[in-house]
Amino acid sequence: MAVVNYRVISGVARIEIDNPPVNALSQAVRAGVAEALARAAADPGVAALVLSGARGTFSAGADLHEVASGEAMAPPLASELQAALEASRKPVVAALEGHALGGGLELALACHFRIGAPGCRLGLPEVKLGLIPGAGGTLRFTRLAGPEAALESLTSGVALTAPRALELGLLDAVAEPLAEEALTFARAAVDEARPLKLAAQLKSRLSAGTPELFARFRERLAGRLRGQLAPALIVDCIEAACTQDAAEALARERAAFLRCRDSEQHRALTHLFFAERAARKVPDIPPGTEPLPVRSAAVIGAGTMGGGIAMCFANAGIPVSVLELNAEALERGLQQVRRNYAASVSRGSLSQGQADAALACIRGVTEYPSLAGADIVIEAVFESLPVKKDVFAALDAVAREGAILATNTSTLDIDAIAAATRRPGAVVGTHFFSPAHIMKLMENVRGPRTDPQVIASVMALGTRLGKVPVLAGNCDGFIGNRMLGFYGLEAEFLLEEGATPEQVDRVMEEFGFAMGPLAVRDLAGNDVGFMIRKNRRLPADERFSPILERMVAAGRLGQKSGRGFYRYEGRTRIADPEVVALIEEVSRERGIVRRRLGDEEIRDRLLAPLVNEGARIVEEGIALRPGDVDVVYVNGYGFPAWRGGPMHWGQVSGLARLIATLERLAPTHGERWGPSAALRRAAATGAFGRAP
Ligand code: 3HC
Ligand code: NAI
């Protein structure tokens, strides 16, 4: 099948990229475009060209499988196509709809003109894959839209809407129906003999690229994107686009692109890109299983999570009822939702109109019968099995036949909750993360009796709500929280042995977490962490450090009491000698001679238990694939994406070393800390997998 279609319509050659599913620029596409360009150039009956994409989308850019192979691209290269486009004496118009991303947009930027459909999205998202635009994007985007817009867009990778792209000069027109309008535009360019615009040669916007602009931007990035290669190189290339001639800037971009392509960060982020897409697929759901329609929803509990979950539905335009039995509690919850929307409006992330439309989707109710019409009901009441069982029994009595009955529990047994109903097949976990309207992860949990159609439905719902859905099996803590338990406990063991809170947090922040484990504890509340620990179903011989309990007893609850593992002035954390004294006291009681711990030991001791438990989770089939564990950790727990997630990081950094670390922990910490059979097998075979 042709991957590039060619047709001449009234003197205009229409070159259409047709490479399902996303019109990626594979070698065959590049060859097809090159051939079509040559054909149009040679045909005296062709006066102008339109470059477009089939099936409602332009192109998602380079073929990621080809880029990930790490091999030199087979010719023709994107740069050769661009040279042909720029050399064309006949006007070339790019017609953009759907997505024009990465190398796709770069191809369009080398055309003389660009016209977009109103709903099209233009972007250079390479940074999200640990890359920089490698086909002239840093040069042409900067020269068309100016350095300020280029810095924002290219370092975030966020795509622009058509109106914004028009405003910035990336588009010459926005019109529909696109196919006809592009032909009209091309003919007008010929009839009016419009000058052929070469983005690479434009200079008018470059005066904004002052040394101060770049210095300021680098300073801003330093905190936000610490440790990442691509964003810093993007800034260098945009500066080169302002200060060097086009050929020099392109050479610099090429070198930087190759450096990124060969980097571990790019491999990690590409792994995650494909892992997120794989995670949406559940192999044992019968083919052809249709998700149940979700036209309306309900949430039980308007607390921290219930309010946020209701916002997720409202943001997707799905009407949602929120139930609290007590009218005052309901009003408190809805008030918080209104405050959240107001904050989004004042931050500029939502317009007032969007916030109003979302709020109009949310309805507060105080009686169970009001939930009778909902297609899905998500319970988000206190984390207590008896309470949740009561709620599900009440829900069972009113919910319509065929409704999905979901729980947001973070640890409890889905099967036990399902047993409180007469329809255990309808019961499933939908575990959102706090703040629910912001965090991307939706860890769906299937009980042993959950109906496959219900599973398919909550996976599809996740994508519809803009979340990253991952399926987990039913066990204490599922994927994420089961692993997290080790991380939290180990942070305190490290303190007992000689580390300070600042050191532990610094090491993990340098690793790439936004906050270290103890700063996170202070944020969430040490009393909350202590209560969760007490309620977990952990083995009786599990050893804890008493540090957390002492902190709570000393009133050091965290940020909310102004004192926790740190002292707080506002949100600024300040090392506190009183905490060190409290920790030293614990070390003394336990007969531990404190010592200096190296940063690498701290990192490995915090992360090896995650990899170890992750290996067990994959082997038991709780996670369907190791990549699912990575997707959970990156999207729900702040694990740095550019490290690829704990399983990917473990393999890259060396499982043998992590096994040795765990062997040293087992004698003092207990059985569960020793290297699992699953981890040893992964080290021997080179891959995590199900039990043989
Ligand atoms: N290359 C190869 N396959 C791609 C691809 C690409 N660039 N983009 C998407 N796909 C595949 C996905 O893996 C998925 O495959 P699957 O069905 O087997 O799982 C399929 O296309 C559909 O993708 P999505 O499920 O993501 O579909 P959506 O409709 O949700 O999203 C999209 C579409 C917004 C285009 C999204 O796929 C996306 O963001 N793609 C990546 C875009 C990108 O990063 N482009 C830059 C590439 S690097 C580059 O161009 C370098 C250049 O500067 C030299
Ligand atoms: P919360 O205490 O903020 O809210 C619970 C709400 O449920 C309260 O408003 C309460 O009045 C209401 N409620 C209690 N019993 C009820 C009943 N029978 N009927 C109707 N409403 C009732 O709790 P939070 O933090 O929102 O947690 C809710 C659930 O989400 C728990 O299962 C928790 O484990 C889980 N979770 C919490 C996360 C968090 O970070 N807070 C993250 C992920 C999951």
mmCIF file of all heavy atoms in Angstrom, residues 19 33 104 117 121 182 199 210 375 451 465 580 628 648 682 689:
data_model
loop_
_atom_site.group_PDB
_atom_site.id
_atom_site.type_symbol
_atom_site.label_atom_id
_atom_site.label_comp_id
_atom_site.label_asym_id
_atom_site.label_seq_id
_atom_site.Cartn_x
_atom_site.Cartn_y
_atom_site.Cartn_z
ATOM 1 N N ASN A 19 0.250 6.911 6.388
ATOM 2 C CA ASN A 19 0.960 5.821 7.064
ATOM 3 C C ASN A 19 0.319 5.569 8.424
ATOM 4 O O ASN A 19 0.717 6.151 9.428
ATOM 5 C CB ASN A 19 2.442 6.229 7.212
ATOM 6 C CG ASN A 19 3.274 5.127 7.849
ATOM 7 O OD1 ASN A 19 2.922 3.943 7.782
ATOM 8 N ND2 ASN A 19 4.374 5.512 8.475
ATOM 9 N N VAL A 33 7.654 10.934 -0.096
ATOM 10 C CA VAL A 33 7.536 12.401 -0.187
ATOM 11 C C VAL A 33 8.607 12.932 -1.151
ATOM 12 O O VAL A 33 8.327 13.781 -2.013
ATOM 13 C CB VAL A 33 7.667 13.066 1.206
ATOM 14 C CG1 VAL A 33 7.742 14.582 1.083
ATOM 15 C CG2 VAL A 33 6.494 12.676 2.106
ATOM 16 N N GLY A 104 7.100 15.920 11.978
ATOM 17 C CA GLY A 104 5.977 16.292 11.115
ATOM 18 C C GLY A 104 5.867 17.804 11.024
ATOM 19 O O GLY A 104 5.783 18.386 9.936
ATOM 20 N N ALA A 117 -6.333 23.545 10.228
ATOM 21 C CA ALA A 117 -7.741 23.386 10.590
ATOM 22 C C ALA A 117 -7.907 23.943 12.004
ATOM 23 O O ALA A 117 -6.952 23.923 12.793
ATOM 24 C CB ALA A 117 -8.127 21.918 10.547
ATOM 25 N N ARG A 121 -3.297 20.696 16.285
ATOM 26 C CA ARG A 121 -2.332 20.958 17.359
ATOM 27 C C ARG A 121 -0.931 20.878 16.764
ATOM 28 O O ARG A 121 -0.595 19.895 16.103
ATOM 29 C CB ARG A 121 -2.446 19.897 18.460
ATOM 30 C CG ARG A 121 -3.860 19.648 18.949
ATOM 31 C CD ARG A 121 -4.301 20.605 19.979
ATOM 32 N NE ARG A 121 -3.560 20.465 21.213
ATOM 33 C CZ ARG A 121 -3.832 21.158 22.315
ATOM 34 N NH1 ARG A 121 -4.807 22.033 22.300
ATOM 35 N NH2 ARG A 121 -3.134 20.980 23.406
ATOM 36 N N ALA A 182 -6.894 24.725 1.489
ATOM 37 C CA ALA A 182 -5.462 24.626 1.187
ATOM 38 C C ALA A 182 -5.240 24.762 -0.313
ATOM 39 O O ALA A 182 -4.307 25.450 -0.757
ATOM 40 C CB ALA A 182 -4.909 23.295 1.696
ATOM 41 N N ALA A 199 11.288 30.057 6.333
ATOM 42 C CA ALA A 199 11.369 30.339 7.773
ATOM 43 C C ALA A 199 12.812 30.452 8.229
ATOM 44 O O ALA A 199 13.159 31.304 9.057
ATOM 45 C CB ALA A 199 10.660 29.215 8.545
ATOM 46 N N THR A 210 18.039 38.137 23.509
ATOM 47 C CA THR A 210 19.167 38.791 24.182
ATOM 48 C C THR A 210 19.848 37.815 25.150
ATOM 49 O O THR A 210 19.227 36.843 25.602
ATOM 50 C CB THR A 210 18.649 39.987 25.012
ATOM 51 O OG1 THR A 210 17.673 39.454 25.932
ATOM 52 C CG2 THR A 210 17.991 41.040 24.132
ATOM 53 N N ASP A 375 -23.997 5.552 35.784
ATOM 54 C CA ASP A 375 -23.382 4.412 35.087
ATOM 55 C C ASP A 375 -22.177 3.880 35.860
ATOM 56 O O ASP A 375 -21.812 2.727 35.719
ATOM 57 C CB ASP A 375 -22.939 4.839 33.677
ATOM 58 C CG ASP A 375 -24.131 5.165 32.794
ATOM 59 O OD1 ASP A 375 -25.163 4.479 32.924
ATOM 60 O OD2 ASP A 375 -24.035 6.119 31.992
ATOM 61 N N ASP A 451 -15.836 -8.633 36.493
ATOM 62 C CA ASP A 451 -16.202 -8.969 35.123
ATOM 63 C C ASP A 451 -15.213 -8.322 34.132
ATOM 64 O O ASP A 451 -14.890 -7.146 34.283
ATOM 65 C CB ASP A 451 -17.622 -8.397 34.897
ATOM 66 C CG ASP A 451 -18.232 -8.900 33.618
ATOM 67 O OD1 ASP A 451 -17.588 -8.756 32.567
ATOM 68 O OD2 ASP A 451 -19.356 -9.431 33.683
ATOM 69 N N LEU A 465 -10.760 10.180 30.763
ATOM 70 C CA LEU A 465 -10.581 11.230 31.780
ATOM 71 C C LEU A 465 -9.205 11.896 31.654
ATOM 72 O O LEU A 465 -8.854 12.753 32.466
ATOM 73 C CB LEU A 465 -10.730 10.643 33.191
ATOM 74 C CG LEU A 465 -12.097 10.050 33.570
ATOM 75 C CD1 LEU A 465 -12.089 9.577 35.026
ATOM 76 C CD2 LEU A 465 -13.236 11.043 33.344
ATOM 77 N N VAL A 580 17.497 15.971 64.826
ATOM 78 C CA VAL A 580 18.708 15.142 64.860
ATOM 79 C C VAL A 580 18.853 14.540 66.253
ATOM 80 O O VAL A 580 19.181 13.356 66.405
ATOM 81 C CB VAL A 580 19.945 15.977 64.448
ATOM 82 C CG1 VAL A 580 21.211 15.139 64.504
ATOM 83 C CG2 VAL A 580 19.742 16.549 63.046
ATOM 84 N N ASP A 628 4.472 -1.742 33.389
ATOM 85 C CA ASP A 628 3.315 -1.210 34.125
ATOM 86 C C ASP A 628 3.755 -0.649 35.476
ATOM 87 O O ASP A 628 3.237 0.358 35.951
ATOM 88 C CB ASP A 628 2.261 -2.308 34.365
ATOM 89 C CG ASP A 628 1.522 -2.700 33.084
ATOM 90 O OD1 ASP A 628 1.995 -2.348 31.982
ATOM 91 O OD2 ASP A 628 0.477 -3.371 33.182
ATOM 92 N N HIS A 648 12.986 -0.195 35.076
ATOM 93 C CA HIS A 648 13.917 0.162 34.008
ATOM 94 C C HIS A 648 15.246 0.625 34.614
ATOM 95 O O HIS A 648 16.317 0.189 34.208
ATOM 96 C CB HIS A 648 13.303 1.275 33.149
ATOM 97 C CG HIS A 648 14.191 1.731 32.028
ATOM 98 N ND1 HIS A 648 14.182 1.148 30.794
ATOM 99 C CD2 HIS A 648 15.138 2.703 31.970
ATOM 100 C CE1 HIS A 648 15.081 1.736 30.015
ATOM 101 N NE2 HIS A 648 15.666 2.689 30.715
ATOM 102 N N ALA A 682 15.465 -12.471 37.424
ATOM 103 C CA ALA A 682 15.603 -11.378 36.447
ATOM 104 C C ALA A 682 17.078 -11.077 36.191
ATOM 105 O O ALA A 682 17.487 -10.829 35.059
ATOM 106 C CB ALA A 682 14.879 -10.131 36.951
ATOM 107 N N GLY A 689 9.815 -11.186 34.781
ATOM 108 C CA GLY A 689 8.734 -11.929 34.137
ATOM 109 C C GLY A 689 7.886 -12.676 35.135
ATOM 110 O O GLY A 689 8.108 -12.611 36.355
#
